[in-house]
């Protein structure tokens, strides 16, 4: 078997353009934008991670700075001999205490710069000769039971100790506590407690660009402060590793370095990838929008250019194909200067030359042949008129059966419907039919029209059950449906619809035929209604006039006909006839119904 050689020249021009567009425009643009999108996403992710680390480092530095300020103040008090002497002195009178208090404690507070990060400075001593007020407190039994006192009193180091303490029910602050034992005259126990302003702590952890949850952890991994809502870290110790996060959570941590009093303390940040990628998603949407623009603009330009020559090329090809049927119609329209325009000009010139040649050389022979053909057609028509119509029905039935055998059911169904319509139109002895038989004929006709028009036509038939067995003249409604299909729906481009409603109310059989087709002007409607009243003139609309006259003959003044139509809006025809004629039906042996009028 010889393989057929594949050639690109056998591909349609429209398909060639589609291939060129797909491989030269669509795929490169899509791949470029996908690559650009992934590169941008990765860069934004890295930038977001770097920004989060910088924000966390800023929190760590700011917290360490506040603690350093409190430690610095504790160091100055630790080496202040005047304050240490004041706390060691045994006062004989209250006046002596007040004078020394104003001299050392009050003077120290006034001379020291105001630091907004420090909430309070408190001195604790077991000196019984002092008046305990104004920041000086007695070390009572209750204080000795507190955890911070035990840490200071039992501590082996002279350095400051960092502890947390409740600022309120819903918040916590931190305090730097130091034992004042620098000098040798340590006859009494002296402790200074410097509390950090909780508002500054809150501002450090909440007024940052970090978009996740923050945790301040001590050397044992317990949460000392957190911005995460719903945690019970204020009321009882809670370790960070007891908190569960989704798998897509990114954790960042920084240690507070170079501080012995904050040894192994660190700040941990937990942020979900979804939150981190909010900026990435915004960038992604922008990239997608840019990609759509980059794809849409070339697509529109290519479509416009392709339509510019494909439509004209198809028009030339259509006229060339007509030549085989001796149709040498000239291509109308503006003459253009591109290659297709030159091809159109040359085609018109060739068509004119062929017409002249046919007219000059073959006209006489054609006239002679035409007379001979007409004579043969007359003989053929005479012969055909003698053929029994049943031959046509048998031929159609044969074609239908062969279609069924080949499983071409749609073709078989259409041929079957055509046969039923032909048989009905040629069987003139059957004057009266039931509404049900008429509806079947209408349905057969509409199925043929549906096969012809495709999706352009849609129809719906609504019939009351009580009306199905009523008798009417044969083909009373079908011509109106045919008129709606041909004159109403056929001019439309799409979305054509025909609706038939047949009902029985108060002894009247009503048929309403509606379409959304081309309709007619008021003048044309009035002209049609006027022509129906002139029975001696048939002229145009033979089918409608014929059925109109037949119904009027059967029913006389009891027949009602209404026509409503608007141009480009559709047409509505209403036919009303009595439920029964003034007569009776008698069944004959061949089961046909004949009508006998009662005078």
């Amino acid at each position: 078997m010889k393989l057929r050689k594949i050639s690109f020249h056998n591909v349609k021009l429209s398909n060639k353009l589609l291939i060129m567009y797909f491989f030269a425009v669509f795929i490169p643009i899509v791949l470029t934008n996908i690559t650009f999108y992934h590169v941008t996403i990765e860069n934004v992710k890295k930038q977001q991670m770097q920004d989060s680390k910088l924000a966390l480092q800023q929190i760590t530095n700011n917290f360490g700075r506040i603690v350093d300020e409190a430690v610095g103040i504790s160091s100055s008090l630790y080496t202040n001999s005047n304050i240490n002497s004041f706390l060691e002195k045994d006062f004989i009178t209250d006046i002596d205490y007040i004078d020394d208090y104003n001299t050392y404690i009050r003077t120290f507070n006034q001379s020291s710069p105001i630091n907004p990060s420090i909430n309070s400075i408190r001195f604790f001593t077991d000196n019984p000769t002092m008046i305990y007020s104004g920041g000086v407190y007695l070390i009572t039994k209750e204080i000795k039971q507190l955890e911070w006192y035990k840490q200071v009193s039992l501590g082996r180091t002279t350095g400051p100790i960092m502890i947390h303490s409740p600022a309120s029910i819903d918040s916590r602050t931190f305090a730097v506590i130091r034992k004042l034992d620098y000098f040798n005259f340590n006859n009494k126990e002296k402790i200074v407690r410097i509390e950090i302003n909780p508002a500054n702590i809150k501002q450090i952890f909440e007024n940052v660009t970090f978009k996740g949850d923050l945790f301040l952890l001590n050397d044992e991994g317990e949460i000392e402060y957190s911005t995460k809502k719903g945690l019970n870290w204020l009321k009882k110790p809670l370790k960070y590793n007891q908190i569960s996060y989704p798998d897509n959570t990114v954790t960042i941590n920084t240690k507070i370095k170079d501080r012995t009093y904050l040894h192994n303390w660190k700040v941990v940040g937990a942020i979900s990838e979804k939150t981190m990628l909010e900026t990435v998603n915004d960038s992604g949407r922008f990239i997608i929008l840019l990609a759509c623009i980059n794809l849409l603009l070339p697509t529109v330009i290519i479509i416009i250019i392709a339509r510019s020559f494909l439509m004209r090329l198809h028009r030339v090809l259509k006229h060339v194909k007509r030549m085989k049927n001796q149709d040498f119609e000239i291509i109308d329209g503006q003459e253009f200067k591109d290659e297709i325009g030159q091809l159109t000009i040359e085609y018109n010139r060739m068509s004119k030359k062929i017409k002249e040649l046919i007219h000059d050389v073959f006209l006489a022979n054609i006239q002679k042949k035409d007379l001979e053909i007409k004579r043969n057609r007359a003989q053929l028509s005479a012969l055909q008129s003698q053929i029994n119509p049943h031959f046509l029905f048998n031929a159609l039935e044969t074609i239908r059966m062969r279609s069924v055998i080949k499983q071409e059911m749609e073709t078989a169904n259409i041929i079957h419907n055509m046969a039923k319509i032909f048989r009905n139109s040629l069987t003139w002895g059957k004057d009266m039919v039931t509404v049900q038989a008429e509806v079947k004929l209408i349905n057969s006709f509409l199925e043929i029209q549906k096969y012809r028009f495709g999706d352009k036509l849609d129809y719906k038939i609504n019939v009351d059950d009580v009306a199905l067995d009523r008798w009417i003249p044969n083909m009373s409604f079908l011509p109106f449906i045919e008129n709606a299909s041909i004159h109403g729906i056929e001019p439309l481009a799409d979305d054509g619809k025909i609706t038939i409603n047949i009902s029985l109310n108060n002894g009247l059989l009503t048929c309403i035929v509606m379409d959304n087709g081309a309709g007619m002007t008021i003048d044309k409607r009035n002209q049609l209604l006027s022509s129906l009243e002139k029975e001696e003139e048939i002229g145009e609309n033979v089918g409608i006039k014929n059925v109109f006259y037949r119904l009027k003959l059967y029913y006389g003044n009891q027949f009602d006909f209404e026509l409503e139509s608007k141009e480009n809006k559709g047409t509505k025809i209403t036919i009303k006839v009595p439920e029964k004629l003034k007569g009776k039906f008698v069944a004959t042996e061949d089961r046909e119904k004949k009508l006998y009028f009662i005078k």
Side-chain angles (χ1 to χ4, degrees):
M1 181 178 179
K2 186 177 180 181
L3 295 177
R4 183 179 179 182
K5 186 178 180 181
I6 300 176
S7 175
F8 199 71
H9 298 299
N10 295 325
V11 181
K12 281 188 175 182
L13 185 58
S14 58
N15 294 335
K16 290 179 182 178
L17 292 174
L18 186 61
I19 293 172
M20 182 177 67
Y21 164 76
F22 190 74
F23 287 99
V25 177
F26 183 80
I27 291 180
I29 290 178
V30 171
L31 292 179
T32 301
N33 282 279
I34 289 175
T35 305
F36 178 67
Y37 175 78
H38 284 289
V39 171
T40 304
I41 294 299
E42 290 301 321
N43 291 336
V44 173
K45 282 183 180 180
K46 292 179 181 178
Q47 185 63 43
Q48 287 288 314
M49 183 65 72
Q50 185 65 26
D51 292 344
S52 299
K53 290 181 179 179
L54 291 175
L56 211 62
Q57 188 63 49
Q58 180 185 1
I59 296 170
T60 304
N61 295 337
N62 291 339
F63 179 75
R65 176 181 54 79
I66 291 179
V67 176
D68 288 344
E69 291 175 355
V71 172
I73 294 174
S74 73
S75 298
S76 66
L77 293 172
Y78 182 69
T79 58
N80 191 315
S81 60
N82 292 327
I83 292 178
N84 277 268
S85 298
F86 168 75
L87 295 173
E88 283 282 341
K89 183 178 179 180
D90 292 327
F91 296 98
I92 300 173
T93 64
D94 293 343
I95 298 298
D96 293 337
Y97 172 79
I98 293 173
D99 289 339
D100 285 358
Y101 179 85
N102 291 333
T103 301
Y104 299 113
I105 300 301
R106 193 182 300 278
T107 303
F108 172 78
N109 290 334
Q110 291 177 351
S111 62
S112 299
I114 299 174
N115 194 329
S117 64
I118 304 303
N119 193 37
S120 65
I121 301 176
R122 298 179 182 182
F123 297 95
F124 295 84
T125 180
D126 57 358
N127 189 344
T129 62
M130 303 185 76
I131 300 174
Y132 297 104
S133 64
V136 180
Y137 300 88
L138 175 65
I139 299 177
T140 63
K141 292 181 180 180
E142 290 78 8
I143 291 178
K144 289 182 179 181
Q145 299 299 321
L146 297 177
E147 186 65 28
W148 65 266
Y149 177 82
K150 295 178 181 179
Q151 293 182 24
V152 173
S153 62
L154 299 177
R156 297 179 180 179
T157 178
T158 59
I161 298 175
M162 181 72 175
I163 67 166
H164 64 259
S165 61
S168 65
I169 298 176
D170 299 325
S171 65
R172 176 184 290 181
T173 187
F174 296 91
V176 175
I177 303 174
R178 193 165 193 171
K179 197 171 185 178
L180 301 178
D181 55 358
Y182 179 73
F183 298 96
N184 294 326
F185 48 85
N186 291 320
N187 298 321
K188 296 182 174 61
E189 189 176 11
K190 305 178 293 296
I191 300 173
V192 63
R193 178 187 174 111
I194 303 171
E195 292 191 357
I196 300 172
N197 192 344
N200 287 56
I201 301 295
K202 183 177 181 181
Q203 182 179 8
I204 289 173
F205 281 89
E206 294 186 358
N207 189 21
V208 292
T209 57
F210 193 83
K211 299 179 181 179
D213 298 327
L214 294 170
F215 302 88
L216 176 64
L217 307 182
N218 59 23
D219 54 350
E220 296 181 358
E222 294 178 346
I223 299 174
E224 295 286 348
Y225 190 90
S226 176
T227 60
K228 182 175 175 60
K229 297 180 180 179
L231 288 182
N232 195 19
W233 59 274
L234 287 170
K235 296 181 180 180
K236 62 179 181 179
L238 180 64
K239 290 184 177 294
Y240 174 74
N241 56 17
Q242 295 176 342
I243 303 173
S244 61
Y245 272 99
D247 295 337
N248 61 349
T249 303
V250 178
T251 302
I252 309 171
N253 63 79
T254 57
K255 288 186 177 181
I256 303 175
K257 300 178 181 180
D258 303 328
R259 295 172 177 87
T260 57
Y261 44 85
L262 293 176
H263 181 64
N264 286 334
W265 283 48
K266 59 183 177 182
V267 177
V268 178
I271 180 171
S272 67
E273 287 187 0
K274 181 179 179 182
T275 303
M276 185 179 293
L277 295 179
E278 285 181 353
T279 305
V280 177
N281 293 333
D282 293 338
S283 302
R285 284 190 286 269
F286 175 75
I287 294 172
I288 293 173
L289 177 61
L290 185 62
C292 292
I293 295 175
N294 291 338
L295 186 63
L296 182 62
L297 186 60
T299 302
V300 171
I301 294 174
I302 290 175
I303 290 175
I304 293 174
I305 295 175
R307 285 174 60 86
S308 171
F309 63 85
L310 279 178
M311 291 179 63
R312 292 184 295 145
L313 189 61
H314 288 161
R315 185 176 61 174
V316 173
L317 180 61
K318 181 178 67 175
H319 282 76
V320 171
K321 288 181 177 180
R322 289 178 178 177
M323 281 187 169
K324 64 183 179 182
N325 298 323
Q326 290 77 44
D327 185 354
F328 303 100
E329 181 182 355
I330 302 298
I331 301 175
D332 297 328
Q334 182 180 355
E335 295 182 352
F336 298 96
K337 296 182 179 180
D338 62 353
E339 288 79 357
I340 299 178
Q342 295 297 321
L343 179 63
T344 304
I345 295 173
E346 294 302 323
Y347 168 81
N348 288 339
R349 183 181 293 114
M350 179 184 66
S351 181
K352 291 179 182 178
K353 289 291 184 180
I354 293 175
K355 281 184 178 180
E356 293 175 358
L357 181 63
I358 292 175
H359 183 272
D360 294 340
V361 178
F362 299 104
L363 182 59
N365 291 334
I366 289 176
Q367 291 176 348
K368 181 179 178 181
K369 292 290 184 182
D370 186 52
L371 291 175
E372 185 176 347
I373 289 171
K374 288 181 178 179
R375 182 172 62 253
N376 292 336
R377 284 181 178 175
Q379 295 173 356
L380 180 60
S381 297
L383 179 62
Q384 289 175 340
S385 64
Q386 299 174 9
I387 299 175
N388 193 312
H390 290 286
F391 171 77
L392 176 61
F393 303 146
N394 294 334
L396 288 175
E397 182 62 18
T398 301
I399 297 173
R400 186 182 75 85
M401 290 304 299
R402 286 188 174 269
S403 298
V404 171
I405 293 172
K406 294 180 180 181
Q407 294 185 350
E408 296 175 351
M409 303 309 298
E410 187 177 11
T411 304
N413 186 45
I414 294 304
I415 294 173
H416 181 62
N417 290 330
M418 290 178 62
K420 287 194 291 185
I421 293 176
F422 286 149
R423 186 180 298 275
N424 188 80
S425 62
L426 294 175
T427 309
W428 296 109
K430 193 176 182 180
D431 295 328
M432 303 298 292
V433 295
T434 61
V435 172
Q436 184 175 10
E438 182 79 3
V439 168
K440 288 182 179 179
L441 192 64
I442 292 172
N443 192 67
S444 298
F445 173 79
L446 288 175
E447 284 188 10
I448 295 174
Q449 295 300 91
K450 177 72 176 177
Y451 180 80
R452 175 188 175 191
F453 294 128
D455 293 336
K456 177 179 176 180
L457 172 63
D458 191 14
Y459 66 91
K460 187 174 183 181
I461 303 175
N462 302 314
V463 185
D464 289 349
D465 292 339
V466 294
L468 290 174
D469 59 348
R470 298 302 187 267
W471 291 82
I472 57 173
N474 189 15
M475 298 182 69
S476 295
F477 303 148
L478 181 60
F480 298 103
I481 286 88
E482 179 182 2
N483 190 72
S485 172
I486 296 174
H487 299 289
I489 303 303
E490 186 171 357
L492 296 181
D494 53 13
D495 294 334
K497 186 172 183 179
I498 298 176
T499 303
I500 302 104
N501 295 317
I502 301 175
S503 60
L504 182 63
N505 295 307
N506 300 325
L508 285 178
L509 188 65
T510 304
C511 177
I512 300 175
V513 181
M514 295 180 291
D515 68 81
N516 62 343
M520 63 184 74
T521 62
I522 296 176
D523 292 337
K524 188 173 181 180
R525 171 186 172 275
N526 294 336
Q527 182 180 0
L528 176 60
L529 292 176
S530 177
S531 66
L532 291 177
E533 299 298 328
K534 299 177 181 179
E535 300 184 7
E536 69 278 6
E537 297 180 4
I538 297 297
E540 298 179 353
N541 303 300
V542 176
I544 293 179
K545 291 182 180 180
N546 182 36
V547 70
F548 180 87
Y549 297 153
R550 286 200 301 122
L551 291 175
K552 197 170 184 181
L553 178 64
Y554 277 103
Y555 298 100
N557 295 330
Q558 293 178 311
F559 163 62
D560 187 19
F561 177 84
E562 296 177 4
L563 173 62
E564 300 173 21
S565 183
K566 289 184 180 180
E567 192 173 9
N568 299 323
K569 295 293 184 180
T571 303
K572 176 181 178 182
I573 294 177
T574 303
I575 304 167
K576 295 181 180 180
V577 297
E579 177 183 0
K580 295 181 180 180
L581 286 172
K582 290 183 178 180
K584 61 181 179 180
F585 296 104
V586 178
T588 60
E589 293 181 356
D590 59 355
R591 296 185 179 179
E592 289 185 356
K593 302 292 183 178
K594 293 185 179 295
L595 179 65
Y596 297 90
F597 287 101
I598 300 176
K599 297 183 178 179

